[in-house]
Amino acid sequence: MAAPERFSAAELRQFSTQLLQKAGLPLAPADAVARTLVDGDLLGHDTHGLALLVPYVREVSKGAMTTSGEPDVVSDRPAALVWNGRRLPGPWLVHKGIDALIARARELGTAALVIHHSHHIACLAAYLLRATEEGLLMVLSSSDPAVQSVAPFGGTRAVFTPNPIAAGIPTSGTPLLVDISASITTNGMSNRLHKAGRQFEEEWMLDAQGNPSRDPAVLAADPPGSILPLGGLSAGHKGFGLAVLIEALTGGLSGFGRADPPTGWGATVFMSLYDPAAFGGQAAFRRQMDHIAEACRSNPPRPGVGQVRMPGDRGMARRAQQLEQGVALHPTIAPMLREAAGQYGLAFPAAWSA
């Protein structure tokens, strides 16, 4: 297999910002979206990084993503905020939300924001370093009330989206970056395999009759199948419970969710920040997290495993490597971006030589 093309992260961000501006986004939201998508690829989340750039551009072009104005403040208490995102760019809203919460978390110890009617927010892990670099703990989750692809445990009709949840945990060294979903796989990975004519290695899907399947094409069947909850056929009650919790944090707390008419591809978002200084103290927090990290990393590995990694270890190592050696784009992404560049009269960055 040929080595993937590699590109400068800075040039990819500049190109992405320009492409979004050409489509109709102002500079500030365009740059926030571009930064988030590139950060997703830097961390290795290549189904939720620049793979989303052209779909976002299409959303802007057809008016499905709002290009101007600010979110409407629905409720504002010292430690609790609710915004109507007005279908503004999701990454821009999340970054604005982090900005709004940092000072409140410093003053109050914790603060939370929920946003309804946001557009899609891309890779959750891409936001976590904003918090950990400030010494703060962050929890972030989202759902899309307009989409159903995950059935409840024991059921056959989809109710949920994969419902991701992420946490950024500061330590004395590499931060811990948790980014998981309440489903056993994601819509993005399912769509990628379906387009490539491939199947999952395990039975992670159900057809419409409830039969286990490895084929992501069941999602496009009529009637459609579904993705299994995290835990699969034997322990999917755990992912089901996590999905319900995320629905409560997002749709429940925001007041808008699956009980309402769908409004198109987007997100309902929950985020909270915690300042360890307001609890047991920064030093005590890091001592505990450092101990956990060391106990896990030094844990004797099972056969076939080189070393136990903490959540985020591989992503942070990949990020550092790709900042130095170039971002290795998935083979499906660069051709899509080159085509979009041509449509908008832009030059796509040159690949770095091996």
Side-chain angles (χ1 to χ4, degrees), residues 82-98:
V82 180
W83 290 352
N84 177 348
R86 299 181 46 249
R87 298 194 60 75
L88 287 157
W92 183 61
L93 287 172
V94 174
H95 281 295
K96 284 181 71 70
I98 295 170

Side-chain angles (χ1 to χ4, degrees), residues 140-153:
L140 174 66
S141 63
S142 71
S143 64
D144 184 349
V147 176
Q148 300 83 37
S149 57
V150 182
F153 185 61

Side-chain angles (χ1 to χ4, degrees), residues 75-126:
S75 176
D76 186 347
R77 299 187 182 187
L81 283 162
V82 180
W83 290 352
N84 177 348
R86 299 181 46 249
R87 298 194 60 75
L88 287 157
W92 183 61
L93 287 172
V94 174
H95 281 295
K96 284 181 71 70
I98 295 170
D99 291 339
L101 292 183
I102 287 176
R104 295 177 188 233
R106 293 272 189 233
E107 178 184 357
L108 302 168
T110 181
L113 165 68
V114 287
I115 310 172
H116 62 71
H117 289 95
S118 167
H119 206 283
H120 190 261
I121 68 170
C123 172
L124 270 62

Side-chain angles (χ1 to χ4, degrees), residues 272-290:
S272 57
L273 294 182
Y274 305 85
D275 185 356
F279 295 87
Q282 280 281 2
F285 182 89
R286 291 176 186 265
R287 183 172 69 89
Q288 295 294 335
M289 294 302 99
D290 291 351

Side-chain angles (χ1 to χ4, degrees), residues 71-324:
D72 293 333
V73 178
V74 178
S75 176
D76 186 347
R77 299 187 182 187
L81 283 162
V82 180
W83 290 352
N84 177 348
R86 299 181 46 249
R87 298 194 60 75
L88 287 157
W92 183 61
L93 287 172
V94 174
H95 281 295
K96 284 181 71 70
I98 295 170
D99 291 339
L101 292 183
I102 287 176
R104 295 177 188 233
R106 293 272 189 233
E107 178 184 357
L108 302 168
T110 181
L113 165 68
V114 287
I115 310 172
H116 62 71
H117 289 95
S118 167
H119 206 283
H120 190 261
I121 68 170
C123 172
L124 270 62
Y127 305 101
L128 301 178
L129 291 177
R130 286 282 317 276
T132 60
E133 289 171 354
E134 296 280 345
L136 302 174
L137 166 65
M138 180 178 186
V139 176
L140 174 66
S141 63
S142 71
S143 64
D144 184 349
V147 176
Q148 300 83 37
S149 57
V150 182
F153 185 61
T156 59
R157 185 172 65 246
V159 173
F160 307 105
T161 34
N163 284 16
I165 185 166
I169 304 168
T171 71
S172 297
T174 303
L176 311 182
L177 307 178
V178 179
D179 187 352
I180 60 174
S181 66
S183 62
I184 204 164
T185 189
T186 63
N187 291 330
M189 184 57 70
S190 300
N191 292 335
R192 176 175 287 176
L193 290 183
H194 179 38
K195 289 178 181 178
R198 296 170 54 199
Q199 298 192 356
F200 289 105
E201 294 183 1
E202 300 179 43
E203 293 173 330
W204 286 357
M205 321 293 289
L206 294 177
D207 65 20
Q209 291 71 46
N211 300 306
S213 175
R214 296 189 300 117
D215 190 355
V218 300
L219 293 180
D222 186 15
S226 61
I227 300 172
L228 282 165
L230 185 66
L233 294 168
S234 61
H237 60 284
K238 299 181 180 182
F240 178 28
L242 186 58
V244 173
L245 170 61
I246 293 167
E247 291 292 333
L249 293 174
T250 57
L253 290 180
S254 76
F256 177 86
R258 299 188 185 279
D260 302 293
T263 57
W265 184 34
T268 304
V269 184
F270 168 87
M271 69 178 81
S272 57
L273 294 182
Y274 305 85
D275 185 356
F279 295 87
Q282 280 281 2
F285 182 89
R286 291 176 186 265
R287 183 172 69 89
Q288 295 294 335
M289 294 302 99
D290 291 351
H291 177 86
I292 291 294
E294 174 57 25
C296 293
R297 292 189 181 109
S298 64
N299 201 280
R302 62 178 173 82
V305 175
Q307 181 185 8
V308 176
R309 294 191 306 264
M310 292 303 290
D313 280 359
R314 183 165 63 177
M316 289 297 289
R318 182 179 283 129
R319 181 177 184 270
Q321 179 192 51
Q322 293 196 123
L323 284 171
E324 180 180 344

